[in-house]
Amino acid sequence: MSTSAPRFDLWSEEARIDPLPILARMRREAPVIRLFNPHQGAPVWFVTRYKEAVEFLRDPRFIKDKDKLSAQTRRLYFRVNELSHLDQHMINADPPAHTRLRSLVAKAFTPRRVDDLRPRITTIVNRLLDGMQDKGSVDLLEAFAMPLPVTVIAELLGIPSEDHGRFREWVNILFTPPVGGDFEPLRRMAREFQGYLQEFLARRRAHPREDLTSALIAAEEQGDQLSGAELMSMVFLLLIAGYETTAHLLGNGVWALLRHPEQKELLRTNPWLIDSAVDEMLRYRGPVKNTTTRFPLQETEFGGQLIPAQEMVVASLLSADNDAEQFPEPERFDITRTPNRHIAFGAGVHFCLGGPLAKVEAVLAIPLLLERLPQLRFAVDPATLRWRTGILLHGLEQLPVAF
Ligand code: HEM
């Protein structure tokens, strides 16, 4: 057995501090490559160039439905059976099942519903800023970036505010790789989350309200409705997909602004640039590092490589959005960048459903943050900041700021 260090170690401390140099080497030397995920104890293929990432995400040969995989593949990649009642959602489905699930939620999760949230989002942002203002310094993730999206999505779904804190812990467990192969915290989280959602959904069925959950219960498409497990999985997906992702958009976005004071000043004096600034934040250090997983059912030629049947493949969105073939001078953080066709929200049929909501939150939150805290700055040496582990999200563990 070889003991030499892997050529591209995306799980190393070096990659945790800054994965971009390794990703740049991968794009150059091996743009479609099989690596070994030590947390999972299994191989995973990475697609790192922009052009191929988009092709891969639009390629129907790569599927998501676990039921189509062999028992052996499922055992290798999916260890936690307790999640099976929570994972019958669109991100794990292929067309036509995916189309059906997505159109049922699209009926309830309309652009109008997102637009109607603007005043409420502004109120929540101001309330969070009121709570911070006299403190002088805070962890911006804890005090601002985490509470905002969880409050918005939970209110949208009609989940009582006293329960929001529990999601923080559950979602954190879900996105943290199991330490030493111990899946027990994940199993416990799945049981607790499921128990919570079962009770919540029973209450909503008995007493519908004006919220998205009630709309989902009622949503019918060609006489079709969501089954019990599908409904529970859908609410679970909306909660987890919209929480830490949006939090790290805010965290990574503020981090980028503080590291580029001239861009921060440009935005402060030209607030109308906020839409393109948020797109640049998504491109420069998007919160979703890699897509969720896909599998070829047969041996498949892709990007000059033969990918064996039933091996996991992901696209590195962080890498694709920093590919110089697509974005001139990708390491330059430029809030006026045009064009900026980043794929931080993915591509193809699974393109993020909540992108407009995440953007509205950032577009409202960041200008207010800069306006109300004009002295906003790092409270520690930015070189000491730690990025969280895990293959899916790219976000800071803490972001201590002073103002
Ligand atoms: C900045 C914040 C966000 C980012 C960067 C993000 C990113 C993504 C990405 C990359 C995908 C595709 C994954 C893949 O193809 O494997 C996705 C899918 C999805 N996202 Fe988001 N997301 C964000 C916020 C949200 C929000 C706020 C919601 C909802 C409240 C949401 C709901 C979803 C759903 C339901 C899907 C699955 C769509 C499908 O399978 O058709 N996301 N997101």
Side-chain angles (χ1 to χ4, degrees):
M1 200 173 80
S2 163
T3 51
S4 62
R7 203 166 135 217
F8 306 105
D9 190 353
L10 289 176
W11 293 268
S12 60
E13 188 58 17
E14 180 198 349
R16 174 147 89 143
I17 294 166
D18 185 5
L20 286 165
I22 299 180
L23 293 171
R25 261 196 314 118
M26 288 169 72
R27 284 195 302 277
R28 233 175 12 247
E29 297 169 22
V32 176
I33 189 176
R34 184 182 194 262
L35 301 178
F36 184 77
N37 179 349
H39 295 305
Q40 200 153 35
V44 50
W45 287 79
F46 280 83
V47 179
T48 48
R49 284 186 187 155
Y50 180 92
K51 184 170 165 288
E52 279 153 353
V54 173
E55 271 167 27
F56 161 68
L57 292 172
R58 292 190 177 144
D59 189 334
R61 293 176 301 169
F62 296 99
I63 61 103
K64 297 191 113 286
D65 183 352
K66 291 203 267 300
D67 292 344
K68 295 177 187 160
L69 302 172
S70 70
Q72 194 190 354
T73 307
R74 286 204 300 266
R75 261 197 311 279
L76 180 62
Y77 288 109
F78 306 100
R79 308 279 178 84
V80 180
N81 289 332
E82 282 83 346
L83 281 169
S84 63
H85 294 286
L86 298 171
D87 69 5
Q88 295 179 39
H89 49 62
M90 70 185 96
I91 221 169
N92 291 334
D94 301 310
H98 169 266
T99 322
R100 170 185 160 257
L101 289 171
R102 185 151 172 148
S103 49
L104 274 164
V105 72
K107 247 186 138 178
F109 196 56
T110 57
R112 167 90 195 275
R113 202 179 269 272
V114 172
D115 221 43
D116 286 350
L117 284 171
R118 282 174 172 267
R120 182 66 192 136
I121 294 173
T122 306
T123 305
I124 300 167
V125 169
N126 274 316
R127 201 194 63 213
L128 292 170
L129 290 170
D130 290 343
M132 285 162 56
Q133 203 138 29
D134 295 334
K135 294 202 169 122
S137 70
V138 292
D139 169 9
L140 197 71
L141 282 170
E142 180 74 35
F144 188 74
M146 289 287 187
L148 174 63
V150 73
T151 310
V152 172
I153 190 70
E155 280 190 7
L156 190 67
L157 288 162
I159 289 171
S161 57
E162 61 273 21
D163 297 337
H164 297 180
R166 303 166 76 179
F167 300 123
R168 171 86 191 265
E169 194 199 326
W170 288 336
V171 172
N172 193 29
I173 293 173
L174 190 70
F175 288 128
T176 306
V179 181
D182 177 9
F183 288 89
E184 198 38 47
L186 203 54
R187 294 201 173 95
R188 189 167 22 85
M189 178 284 297
R191 282 193 296 269
E192 286 176 12
F193 214 145
Q194 190 181 328
Y196 177 85
L197 288 177
Q198 253 157 356
E199 255 178 54
F200 168 64
L201 291 172
R203 268 185 278 140
R204 272 300 174 281
R205 276 187 204 283
H207 305 286
R209 299 232 182 121
E210 287 292 295
D211 52 44
L212 181 59
T213 306
S214 306
L216 283 170
I217 292 171
E220 278 196 58
E221 184 83 356
Q222 294 155 1
D224 188 11
Q225 255 179 316
L226 292 165
S227 73
E230 284 172 348
L231 177 66
M232 183 150 73
S233 301
M234 180 82 85
V235 172
F236 174 74
L237 173 66
L238 292 173
L239 268 169
I240 61 164
Y243 179 10
E244 278 212 39
T245 47
T246 313
H248 292 305
L249 165 59
L250 299 171
N252 298 1
V254 171
W255 170 84
L257 284 177
L258 296 184
R259 288 184 68 223
H260 300 87
E262 78 299 341
Q263 297 290 305
K264 177 174 163 245
E265 192 49 25
L266 185 64
L267 181 58
R268 210 185 54 74
T269 48
N270 300 276
W272 53 272
L273 284 173
I274 185 63
D275 289 285
S276 93
V278 168
D279 274 316
E280 180 65 346
M281 290 165 188
L282 284 160
R283 182 202 70 80
Y284 183 70
R285 294 293 187 275
V288 177
K289 199 157 40 181
N290 300 301
T291 59
T292 58
T293 60
R294 283 155 177 82
F295 297 83
L297 289 181
Q298 275 98 40
E299 184 181 61
T300 298
E301 204 267 310
F302 185 84
Q305 299 293 317
L306 266 188
I307 303 181
Q310 314 254 345
E311 283 200 351
M312 182 184 270
V313 191
V314 300
S316 169
L317 301 177
L318 186 62
S319 172
D321 282 340
N322 281 275
D323 185 346
E325 295 287 315
Q326 176 70 19
F327 303 99
E329 293 182 78
E331 66 290 350
R332 196 159 53 82
F333 177 67
D334 172 7
I335 64 166
T336 65
R337 184 182 287 272
T338 29
N340 189 351
R341 294 170 58 86
H342 65 76
I343 53 168
F345 290 122
V349 295
H350 293 280
F351 181 79
C352 180
L353 181 86
L357 175 59
K359 273 193 179 179
V360 164
E361 289 182 47
V363 159
L364 295 172
I366 290 173
L368 268 171
L369 181 76
L370 297 183
E371 185 192 313
R372 290 194 49 185
L373 307 175
Q375 304 299 323
L376 190 71
R377 60 195 182 277
F378 288 120
V380 296
D381 174 358
T384 64
L385 294 174
R386 285 183 69 78
W387 295 86
R388 54 175 302 154
T389 53
I391 190 174
L392 197 62
L393 294 181
H394 187 60
L396 291 160
E397 283 180 352
Q398 292 183 330
L399 178 51
V401 292
F403 36 84

